[in-house]
């Protein structure tokens, strides 16, 4: 099963140093029954893209919680065994939890398929979105427009071999 793990660049650097994503149960995003129902598509690529975007929003929230983190969203796509990631049936229809799964334990970073990361050009919009995220959550339409502006940036795809360069540990 492919899951999308939201991180910050600092979190990606830590995962690179330890060789693991997560240390215990952690939140990721995947194609869940609720996401399929919400998205109304049978196209697996479209559904995986929707799960990736849910993880990107979760990454934005992580960036907002870490004032020292670079203002770029990070999502790691990783394959885990079936059953290793489980959706909470009680939250399945909660719009804020669409696609959310819990991964039971740490996953080797070597299992990662790719890293998705904002470009440098997205930093200003991500910074602006971080600044108004709370207001958007409270229903402020203008703030939601700013958050949507960050979400308009497509995350770039990187091979896992590029992680050292992405986190500033490369040659």
């Amino acid at each position: 099963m492919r899951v999308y793990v939201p991180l910050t660049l600092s979190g990606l650097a830590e995962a690179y140093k330890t060789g693991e994503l997560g240390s215990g149960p952690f939140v990721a995003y995947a194609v869940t029954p609720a996401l399929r129902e919400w998205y109304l598509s049978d196209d697996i690529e479209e559904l995986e893209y929707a799960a990736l975007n849910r993880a990107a929003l979760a990454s934005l929230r992580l960036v907002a919680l870490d004032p020292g983190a670079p203002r770029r969203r990070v999502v790691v796509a990783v394959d885990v065994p079936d059953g290793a990631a489980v959706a909470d049936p009680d939250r399945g229809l909660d719009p804020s939890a669409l696609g959310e799964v819990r991964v039971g334990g740490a996953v080797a970073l070597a299992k990662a398929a790719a890293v998705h990361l904002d470009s440098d050009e997205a930093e200003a919009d991500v910074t602006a979105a971080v600044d108004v995220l709370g207001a958007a959550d409270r229903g402020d339409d203008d703030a939601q427009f700013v958050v949507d502006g960050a979400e308009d940036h497509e995350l770039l795809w990187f091979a896992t071999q590029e992680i050292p360069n992405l986190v500033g540990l490369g040659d």
Side-chain angles (χ1 to χ4, degrees):
M1 168 183 235
R2 169 88 25 114
V3 298
Y4 298 91
V5 181
L7 294 173
T8 61
L9 269 173
S10 308
L12 182 61
E14 183 64 24
Y16 179 72
K17 286 184 210 170
T18 65
E20 292 184 330
L21 289 166
S23 59
F26 63 91
V27 172
Y29 292 80
V31 178
T32 62
L35 185 71
R36 281 181 189 275
E37 187 175 322
W38 171 74
Y39 199 74
L40 298 174
S41 174
D42 289 331
D43 184 326
I44 191 64
E45 287 183 15
E46 287 181 17
L47 291 165
E48 286 183 346
Y49 184 71
L52 170 66
N53 284 328
R54 300 294 296 168
L57 179 57
S59 174
L60 181 69
R61 293 182 181 289
L62 293 173
V63 169
L65 293 173
D66 184 354
R71 294 337 207 189
R72 293 169 76 184
R73 298 167 299 159
V74 179
V75 176
V76 177
V78 62
D79 294 316
V80 299
D82 288 343
V86 179
D88 181 346
D90 294 333
R91 293 197 58 190
L93 297 178
D94 178 351
S96 69
L98 284 171
E100 187 178 288
V101 294
R102 293 242 179 246
V103 179
V107 175
L109 188 58
K111 300 273 186 195
V115 174
H116 302 271
L117 174 70
D118 272 318
S119 68
D120 293 339
E121 291 80 33
E123 283 190 52
D125 287 335
V126 171
T127 299
V130 162
D131 291 344
V132 300
L133 193 55
D137 287 345
R138 291 187 298 277
D140 182 315
D141 290 337
D142 291 334
Q144 186 60 53
F145 181 78
V146 173
V147 171
D148 291 344
E151 292 176 358
D152 285 344
H153 290 275
E154 296 286 331
L155 296 178
L156 303 176
W157 181 95
F158 293 92
T160 57
Q161 298 86 339
E162 298 178 85
I163 292 173
N165 293 330
L166 297 175
V167 298
L169 299 174
D171 294 335

